[in-house]
Amino acid sequence: MSDRRPIRAIAIGGIAAAALAMTTPVVAQAATDVDEPSEFTSAFVVTATPATVIANDGTPTPGQEGATGRFEYRVNADEEIICFAIRLTGVTGDYQSPALTATHIHEAEAGQPGPPRIAFPDPVDDGTGVRVSEGCLQGPFETGVLDHAGVDTGEGFSLAELEANPAGFTSDSHTVDFPAGVVRGQLAQGALEVAEPDAFTSAFSVSATPDAVIANDGTAAPGEPGATGDFQFRVNADEEIICYAITLTGVTGDYQSPAITATHIHEAAEGASGPPRIAFPNPEGSGDTRTSEGCLQGPFATGVLSPEGVDTGTGFSLAQIEADPAGFTGDSHTVDFVPGVVRGQLAEVDLEEAAPAPSEAEDALDEAAGADADAAGAPIGIIVAIVAALAAIAAIVIVVIRRRGARG
């Protein structure tokens, strides 16, 4: 299934010369390692390729052929914390950079060079040939690179600058054989996990089956025999929030997709292929059933680039789904069924039917409130009702915890 987790100072004008002279990385601490905060103010995604690498003089300098990088960031700008999940595939050789590490966020527009602002721990091989790095860092940030005034290029940098102009920043990594960069890509604002909104404007369901899967060339490519998928979506188009409850049954094997996850809404009519517009956390669980649920708020990012080099989630609005739900499909992809393990078209459903039924805990509280009203001169009756309600809630919580534990 998909995975998720520092060299001394030199003037920017001398980066290229120093990089050529340096053959082994030196590990140092770039910022403070911290725990994940309780909330985030923004999220960003980078799809990095060798074709977009730029040398310090501004000339195109392609990186390692066949290499790819995925950089996922979640930011709490109030606390100056950035959490990162970085994956490099097809990258070989030692890291090399005059900075504290060889893996960075630079302040640089597409096609332009620029100084590093944050240095991340370099990804290491996870045993499969994929290099992975993840964790959380808290500023103030330090890169180990000095500008022409002799000031570290991370000094004074604030994560609010990322939030104000993500397209003005790029992520990359550097190796001995590719000191200008092995891969590089611009930051794109991504969906943020949020709490459920107070109201919804529409709801949709998907009954996904293997026989509906279509390959990118538009040909039928049946998914896993016997597998099924149930996708339930509730949308608040005014706030660009989509809440999802996805269940996959009979799906085996690891997920696989060029997107940031392998579970999507694509803009595609029945029997046709189309780009992903939203990427959801992959359903997880033990046994025959995998589930995923929560809420995401746009702007959305998929990690897949259009022929023009733009993320296929950029500019997408949930109002587009509401306008033509049949023009969108839900699916998931695995190693053995790359075009899709199951797929199905979105169909609008009644909001009241889509809303989750009141929980048993809520029912218990309602009953307690009723007992309160009926026993207005009988304190003992009120106490008994409240105790019964609390006992019911505790029992339900235990059941929920056990169920979640069973999901793995």
Side-chain angles (χ1 to χ4, degrees):
M1 298 186 185
S2 59
D3 297 313
R4 287 290 190 205
R5 217 172 160 75
I7 327 189
R8 280 312 304 169
I10 180 171
I12 292 177
I15 288 179
L20 291 173
M22 189 175 299
T23 58
T24 57
V26 178
V27 178
Q29 183 62 52
T32 304
D33 287 315
V34 295
D35 293 331
E36 183 172 304
S38 58
E39 60 183 10
F40 296 93
T41 55
S42 59
F44 305 95
V45 175
V46 176
T47 299
T49 66
T52 55
V53 176
I54 302 296
N56 287 328
D57 63 3
T59 59
T61 310
Q64 184 168 4
E65 185 176 356
T68 61
R70 178 166 297 140
F71 299 71
E72 298 176 36
Y73 302 121
R74 290 173 297 155
V75 167
N76 182 318
D78 299 327
E79 299 180 40
E80 289 294 341
I81 294 175
I82 183 168
C83 293
F84 55 94
I86 303 170
R87 291 169 58 86
L88 300 178
T89 304
V91 172
T92 60
D94 292 337
Y95 293 106
Q96 177 175 296
S97 172
L100 292 171
T101 71
T103 306
H104 317 124
I105 286 179
H106 292 254
E107 186 168 0
E109 301 280 349
Q112 299 295 323
R117 297 304 189 193
I118 305 177
F120 298 95
D122 293 318
V124 297
D125 195 323
D126 66 356
T128 68
V130 177
R131 300 186 182 191
V132 178
S133 179
E134 55 186 50
C136 299
L137 296 177
Q138 184 172 36
F141 301 101
E142 179 184 0
T143 67
V145 173
L146 303 184
D147 64 18
H148 293 296
V151 178
D152 190 283
T153 60
E155 186 170 326
F157 175 72
S158 169
L159 293 171
E161 298 176 55
L162 283 184
E163 295 186 328
N165 181 31
F169 293 84
T170 186
S171 282
D172 65 5
S173 194
H174 310 257
T175 63
V176 172
D177 294 327
F178 299 93
V182 65
V183 290
R184 165 182 160 145
Q186 299 304 121
L187 271 68
Q189 193 159 10
L192 195 63
E193 294 180 14
V194 295
E196 183 172 305
D198 294 330
F200 295 94
T201 56
S202 60
F204 307 91
S205 68
V206 176
S207 180
T209 58
D211 58 287
V213 176
I214 301 295
N216 287 331
D217 63 3
T219 60
E224 183 166 9
T228 61
D230 179 68
F231 297 67
Q232 300 295 326
F233 301 118
R234 288 173 296 150
V235 167
N236 182 318
D238 299 327
E239 299 180 41
E240 289 294 341
I241 294 175
I242 183 168
C243 293
Y244 57 93
I246 302 171
T247 301
L248 299 180
T249 305
V251 171
T252 60
D254 292 340
Y255 293 106
Q256 179 174 304
S257 172
I260 55 179
T261 72
T263 305
H264 318 125
I265 285 179
H266 291 253
E267 186 168 1
E270 185 175 3
S273 61
R277 299 303 189 192
I278 306 176
F280 298 95
N282 293 320
E284 297 180 353
S286 57
D288 192 52
T289 302
R290 303 180 183 186
T291 61
S292 178
E293 58 186 53
C295 298
L296 296 177
Q297 183 171 34
F300 302 101
T302 67
V304 174
L305 301 183
S306 69
E308 296 73 33
V310 178
D311 191 288
T312 59
T314 299
F316 176 72
S317 170
L318 293 171
Q320 295 173 245
I321 291 179
E322 293 187 330
D324 180 27
F328 292 85
T329 185
D331 69 2
S332 193
H333 309 256
T334 63
V335 172
D336 294 327
F337 298 93
V338 177
V341 65
V342 290
R343 165 181 157 147
Q345 300 304 121
L346 270 68
E348 190 165 9
V349 296
D350 186 85
L351 261 175
E352 291 186 3
E353 294 178 3
S359 70
E360 296 174 52
E362 289 172 336
D363 290 344
L365 286 174
D366 289 342
E367 290 176 11
D372 248 3
D374 294 339
I380 294 178
I382 295 174
I383 293 172
V384 170
I386 292 174
V387 169
L390 291 175
I393 293 170
I396 293 164
V397 169
I398 291 171
V399 171
V400 170
I401 291 173
R402 287 176 176 171
R403 286 177 180 171
R404 289 182 176 172
R407 293 177 183 173

